[in-house]
């Protein structure tokens, strides 16, 4: 089949890879000059199968209300005259119950396991190097109350088959000795040894290169303008060159929409409404002055809700979320405060370890759904259109598996996981071989 993939982030490129594996003729379109230049560019770097709780839980509305007025709060909701934002917010509230949380976690654990297995196979097959560290993720707490809540959370996740261990302060420091200077403030932690970290941009760009070597065509610097449709089918994708302005209609047997937060606008004219809303996040990447004193285990700092990952001789600090539309500027007072707070916190945790004089700041829009579960499956309005979008906080974690699963669905096969795919995709079968003992 001829297949056009719209979007070359981790999700689009992974999908392209698995479609090529099945012998399809693949064209990938993106408005940027290379892969992974938007949300997949400088994220928290965590392959976080075991820390996958969605934002929506029974306590979330109270926490969000408490944070509303703080410029440096982990989650900032800026109400706008935007019906999509309000619809998303209301839908989010419906997920803030214990039963919805349990249901959503179950799905995210399934997708995470499947994706981790897919990633490991893909890396073994291709040998892609991307500053991968298989050292687990350590979540540490700087208040006793938060630690106790974290221990309860670990128990809940263990019920879902996740190996999340509760550690006292000494055990935390044994897992990551680089935290020693901050040790007196640590009350304990939780640790998931099977999680890992690595650079999503490097991985995606190298995978795109391998796709090109296997025959994929990449149409860079092209805006996707619209989908042409007739009789329940997509008949073409209208694109325009950013360099020449020239428009063309790409014709294929099937189309994959993997444009993250921009996917709903593309599908709206078909009458298909997706609850994906951008949640702006930030990262700072610092050069290490003393690499031997820097952490290698990927960290979650509960006090600030930030991730810290080692990427070779650099450290990445990422986090915070703002529900405030599609703005990707870095120079507003809020953005400046949020970026500065990442570096300030790193210096509190690891004094003198990194060069804080020239931080590389970045912002990206997490394509967030109220459940944190992505749309993977067939469009409800066009039978040759497939969706792979809405991966929220976990698109790097779920990238390989989402691409793999969609390619399987498109081939008429059920991926080996118990997951509620979108549309009338095939029912999935339980993932027996990878289920924990
Ligand atoms: C601060 C932050 C930290 C994060 N940390 C983690 C983490 O530690 N672990 C994790 O698993 N996930 C993390 N994430 C989430 C993860 O980065 C995203 O879920 C993932 O990158 C989404 O991938 P994507 O391919 O869907 O989107 P993208 O990478 O944004 O790809 C979509 C592509 O579509 C293209 N596009 C969009 N519209 C058009 C158009 N009209 N025409 C042409 N091209 C178009 C864009 O150029 C882009 O290349 C984090 C996100 C943020 C913001």
């Amino acid at each position: 089949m001829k297949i056009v993939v719209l979007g070359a982030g981790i999700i689009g490129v992974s999908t392209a890879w698995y479609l090529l594996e099945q012998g399809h003729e693949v064209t990938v379109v993106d408005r940027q000059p290379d892969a992974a230049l938007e949300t997949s560019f400088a994220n928290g770097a965590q392959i976080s199968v075991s820390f996958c709780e969605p934002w929506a839980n029974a306590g979330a509305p109270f926490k969000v209300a408490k944070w509303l007025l703080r410029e440096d709060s982990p989650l900032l909701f800026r109400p706008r005259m935007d019906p999509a934002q309000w619809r998303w917010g209301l839908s989010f509230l419906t997920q803030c119950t214990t039963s919805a949380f349990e249901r959503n976690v179950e799905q995210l654990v399934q997708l995470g396991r499947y994706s981790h297995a897919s990633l490991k196979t893909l890396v073994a097959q291709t040998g892609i190097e991307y500053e991968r560290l298989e050292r687990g993720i350590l979540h540490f707490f700087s208040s006793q109350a938060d630690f106790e809540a974290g221990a309860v959370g670990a128990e809940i996740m263990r019920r879902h088959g996740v190996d999340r261990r509760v550690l006292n302060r000494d055990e935390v420091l044994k897992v990551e000795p680089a935290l020693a200077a901050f040790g007196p403030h640590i009350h304990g932690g939780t640790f998931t040894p099977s999680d890992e970290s690595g650079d999503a941009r490097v991985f995606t760009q190298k995978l795109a290169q391998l796709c090109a070597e296997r025959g994929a065509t990449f149409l860079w610097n092209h805006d996707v303008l619209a989908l042409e449709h007739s009789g329940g089918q997509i008949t073409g994708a209208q694109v325009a060159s950013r360099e020449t302005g020239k428009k063309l209609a790409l014709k294929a047997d099937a189309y994959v929409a993997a444009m993250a937060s921009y996917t709903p606008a593309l599908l709206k004219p078909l009458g298909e409404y997706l609850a994906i809303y951008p949640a702006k996040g930030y990262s700072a990447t610092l050069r290490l002055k003393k690499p031997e004193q820097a952490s290698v285990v990927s960290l979650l700092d509960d006090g600030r809700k930030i991730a810290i990952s080692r990427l070779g001789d650099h450290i990445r600090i990422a986090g915070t979320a703002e529900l405030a539309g599609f703005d990707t500027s870095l120079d507003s007072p809020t953005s400046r405060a949020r970026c500065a707070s990442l570096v300030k916190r790193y210096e509190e945790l690891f004094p003198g370890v990194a060069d804080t004089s020239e931080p590389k700041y970045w912002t990206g829009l997490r394509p967030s759904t109220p459940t944190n579960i992505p749309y993977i499956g067939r469009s409800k309005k066009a039978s040759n259109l497939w969706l792979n979008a809405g991966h929220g906080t976990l698109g790097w974690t779920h990238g390989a598996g989402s691409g793999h699963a969609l390619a399987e669905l498109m081939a008429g096969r059920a991926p080996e996981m118990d997951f509620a795919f979108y549309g009338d995709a095939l029912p999935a079968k339980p993932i027996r071989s990878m289920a924990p003992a």
Side-chain angles (χ1 to χ4, degrees), residues 9 11 30-31 38-40 43-46 224 260 392-397:
I11 302 300
D30 202 287
R31 60 188 170 197
E38 295 205 2
T39 322
S40 307
N43 65 23
Q46 297 188 325
V224 177
T393 55
L394 291 170
W396 170 216
T397 305

Side-chain angles (χ1 to χ4, degrees), residues 2 5 29 38 80 98 100 118 131 136 248 316 330 384 391 427:
K2 265 190 174 178
V5 177
V29 189
E38 295 205 2
R80 293 155 52 89
T98 303
S118 302
E131 304 292 2
L248 61 150
R316 166 85 41 81
L330 272 172
N384 61 344
H391 291 73

Side-chain angles (χ1 to χ4, degrees), residues 3 25 32 69 76 96 99 101 126 132 135 140 155 180 184 187 195 232 239 259 327 329 339 353 366 368 399 401 409:
I3 302 177
E25 192 182 323
Q32 300 292 345
L69 297 173
L76 194 64
C96 293
S99 59
F101 177 81
T126 58
R132 180 184 191 190
R135 301 292 295 260
F140 63 93
E155 177 53 38
H187 286 255
D195 284 333
V239 304
M259 288 166 30
D327 166 52
S329 65
C339 288
V353 172
R366 297 177 188 87
S368 303
L409 293 172

Side-chain angles (χ1 to χ4, degrees), residues 184-302:
H185 304 284
I186 293 176
H187 286 255
T190 62
F191 180 50
T192 56
S194 58
D195 284 333
E196 47 181 279
S197 59
D199 194 322
R201 174 190 64 79
V202 173
F203 176 89
T204 309
Q205 290 181 347
K206 287 189 177 172
L207 190 62
Q209 186 58 42
L210 291 177
C211 287
E213 285 166 19
R214 289 182 92 171
T217 302
F218 282 86
L219 216 49
W220 300 122
N221 298 307
H222 277 73
D223 281 307
V224 177
L225 304 177
L227 293 172
E228 295 165 355
H229 56 104
S230 154
Q233 290 267 308
I234 301 300
T235 52
Q238 281 177 26
V239 304
S241 164
R242 286 192 156 189
E243 286 151 340
T244 62
K246 194 176 157 206
K247 288 188 183 170
L248 61 150
L250 301 174
K251 304 283 179 191
D253 301 303
Y255 302 79
V256 175
M259 288 166 30
S261 301
Y262 301 87
T263 313
L266 185 72
L267 268 64
K268 202 172 160 194
L270 306 178
E272 187 144 23
Y273 296 93
L274 306 181
I276 302 176
Y277 196 78
K280 186 177 186 180
Y282 299 88
S283 73
T285 306
L286 308 175
R287 189 185 59 80
L288 291 168
K289 284 194 297 197
K290 299 176 185 163
E292 67 292 349
Q293 291 180 24
S295 51
V296 284
V297 175
S298 190
L299 302 172
L300 281 169
D301 171 8
D302 191 77

Side-chain angles (χ1 to χ4, degrees), residues 88-418:
W88 190 96
L90 290 174
S91 179
F92 178 84
L93 285 177
T94 67
Q95 300 300 316
C96 293
T97 64
T98 303
S99 59
F101 177 81
E102 294 270 344
R103 200 173 55 233
N104 295 335
V105 163
E106 189 56 43
Q107 294 279 293
L108 293 164
V109 169
Q110 289 285 336
L111 180 57
R113 282 218 191 95
Y114 178 83
S115 198
H116 207 179
S118 302
L119 178 71
K120 285 180 182 173
T121 307
L122 197 161
V123 172
Q125 189 186 350
T126 58
I128 293 183
E129 290 181 2
Y130 53 99
E131 304 292 2
R132 180 184 191 190
L133 282 173
E134 295 173 273
R135 301 292 295 260
I137 295 181
L138 174 63
H139 188 184
F140 63 93
F141 298 86
S142 31
S143 107
Q144 185 60 25
D146 289 340
F147 174 44
E148 284 164 16
V152 173
E155 177 53 38
I156 294 171
M157 292 307 285
R158 279 201 298 273
R159 287 209 299 273
H160 290 279
V162 162
D163 178 14
R164 191 186 293 180
R165 303 171 189 174
V166 178
L167 309 182
N168 64 29
R169 178 194 296 135
D170 290 347
E171 289 166 331
V172 166
L173 296 180
K174 209 163 158 199
V175 170
E176 184 44 274
L179 279 166
F182 194 71
H185 304 284
I186 293 176
H187 286 255
T190 62
F191 180 50
T192 56
S194 58
D195 284 333
E196 47 181 279
S197 59
D199 194 322
R201 174 190 64 79
V202 173
F203 176 89
T204 309
Q205 290 181 347
K206 287 189 177 172
L207 190 62
Q209 186 58 42
L210 291 177
C211 287
E213 285 166 19
R214 289 182 92 171
T217 302
F218 282 86
L219 216 49
W220 300 122
N221 298 307
H222 277 73
D223 281 307
V224 177
L225 304 177
L227 293 172
E228 295 165 355
H229 56 104
S230 154
Q233 290 267 308
I234 301 300
T235 52
Q238 281 177 26
V239 304
S241 164
R242 286 192 156 189
E243 286 151 340
T244 62
K246 194 176 157 206
K247 288 188 183 170
L248 61 150
L250 301 174
K251 304 283 179 191
D253 301 303
Y255 302 79
V256 175
M259 288 166 30
S261 301
Y262 301 87
T263 313
L266 185 72
L267 268 64
K268 202 172 160 194
L270 306 178
E272 187 144 23
Y273 296 93
L274 306 181
I276 302 176
Y277 196 78
K280 186 177 186 180
Y282 299 88
S283 73
T285 306
L286 308 175
R287 189 185 59 80
L288 291 168
K289 284 194 297 197
K290 299 176 185 163
E292 67 292 349
Q293 291 180 24
S295 51
V296 284
V297 175
S298 190
L299 302 172
L300 281 169
D301 171 8
D302 191 77
R304 297 293 192 282
K305 308 277 184 273
I306 55 176
I308 300 173
S309 293
R310 177 77 176 262
L311 297 171
D313 54 5
H314 286 75
I315 200 87
R316 166 85 41 81
I317 311 124
T320 83
E322 248 170 86
L323 290 159
F326 286 82
D327 166 52
T328 51
S329 65
L330 272 172
D331 53 8
S332 69
T334 304
S335 303
R336 279 201 295 270
R338 291 183 154 242
C339 288
S341 74
L342 296 174
V343 175
K344 184 167 169 254
R345 181 61 170 177
Y346 187 78
E347 193 55 28
E348 275 166 27
L349 298 172
F350 302 98
V353 172
D355 177 0
T356 54
S357 66
E358 287 180 10
K360 283 199 183 113
Y361 290 134
W362 168 82
T363 183
L365 303 175
R366 297 177 188 87
S368 303
T369 63
T371 53
N372 211 25
I373 297 169
Y375 292 88
I376 306 174
R378 195 199 293 265
S379 154
K380 292 179 180 173
K381 300 292 178 183
S383 59
N384 61 344
L385 173 63
W386 297 81
L387 313 187
N388 215 345
H391 291 73
T393 55
L394 291 170
W396 170 216
T397 305
H398 293 159
S402 298
H404 190 185
L406 191 72
E408 288 293 288
L409 293 172
M410 291 174 75
R413 289 191 291 267
E416 288 207 325
M417 67 173 141
D418 194 2

